[in-house]
Amino acid sequence: RRHRDMMLATALTLAAGWSGGHVRVGVPVGALRTVGVRMEAPHPWSASSASSASGGLDDEEEELPALPAVALPSASLEPMDVIKKVLDALRTPDEPYDNFGPQVAIAFSSPSNGASKLTPSQFADYLAEGPYQIFCEWDEMEVEDDLEVTDEGERAYQEVLLRRSADASWTHVNWQLEKVNGVWMTESVVTY
């Protein structure tokens, strides 16, 4: 049942619009409520948030150090490795320097993902909002169900549960990854 709900939620997120030569993935704010999945606001990993962000990367370019090789996408990483790298980076978003976590999350965002168009500061602004604070504040993580990879091996789906130590309930995070030039990257993330 959980996988069916995730697939339905994922199907709803693939409301594609053509922009700049890329298919952009978006989630209408109320769309997931109709299937019993609650999403508070557009997530930074959706195209609707990138289009609502003030200007994207063309505004003020941020001067950040280059990411170390261990924090970059690589063909040697499996889907769960990507999820863990992004979650670990977001858990301490300003270590080893300001906006390191958002910079890593953007680096692992596929070109079809709206987050790939954001600056690390814009991405960090989303993380400061109520429903997305969990990405920076989680203490416990559990992997729900087995990783599912399509027959073609080009898409992967994984549900991860996050929780603060003081919270009784878990936040469900459904990840959809796609292979881009042989490298697993985040296509969309849905929280509920």
Side-chain angles (χ1 to χ4, degrees):
R1 173 168 158 61
R2 216 178 292 234
H3 175 68
R4 188 191 78 228
D5 291 345
M6 183 180 84
M7 294 300 289
L8 183 54
T10 299
L12 289 171
T13 66
L14 296 177
W18 192 255
S19 173
H22 294 97
V23 175
R24 301 183 75 197
V25 178
V27 174
V29 174
L32 296 179
R33 287 191 184 106
T34 62
V35 294
V37 179
R38 186 173 54 97
M39 187 165 174
E40 301 296 332
H43 192 277
W45 282 301
S46 74
S48 60
S49 63
S51 61
S52 67
S54 60
L57 293 174
D58 295 331
D59 276 353
E60 293 182 28
E61 291 287 330
E62 292 183 49
E63 293 294 325
L64 296 173
L67 288 171
V70 296
L72 291 173
S74 164
S76 67
L77 298 174
E78 294 298 321
M80 199 60 217
D81 298 328
V82 170
I83 292 169
K84 287 179 181 177
K85 277 192 178 287
V86 171
L87 285 174
D88 286 343
L90 292 176
R91 186 177 189 193
T92 53
D94 293 322
E95 292 177 22
Y97 54 82
D98 286 350
N99 290 327
F100 174 79
Q103 187 181 10
V104 170
I106 292 166
F108 279 95
S109 296
S110 75
S112 64
N113 181 327
S116 68
K117 318 284 187 287
L118 297 175
T119 66
S121 292
Q122 290 169 328
F123 196 99
D125 288 345
Y126 284 102
L127 297 175
E129 296 176 12
Y132 309 118
Q133 290 174 342
I134 189 68
F135 288 105
C136 299
E137 298 174 352
W138 63 274
D139 296 306
E140 298 175 63
M141 176 181 77
E142 287 190 14
V143 176
E144 192 72 6
D145 300 323
D146 291 331
L147 175 77
E148 294 186 34
V149 179
T150 61
D151 291 338
E152 301 82 31
E154 297 298 313
R155 283 209 162 58
Y157 306 91
Q158 182 66 60
E159 182 173 12
V160 175
L161 304 176
L162 300 177
R163 178 170 69 178
R164 296 170 190 90
S165 59
D167 291 350
S169 63
W170 293 85
T171 298
H172 295 252
V173 184
N174 288 323
W175 294 77
Q176 180 174 319
L177 295 95
E178 69 175 332
K179 270 195 176 174
V180 178
N181 298 323
V183 176
W184 287 107
M185 302 188 85
T186 304
E187 185 173 26
S188 68
V189 177
V190 178
T191 60
Y192 62 97

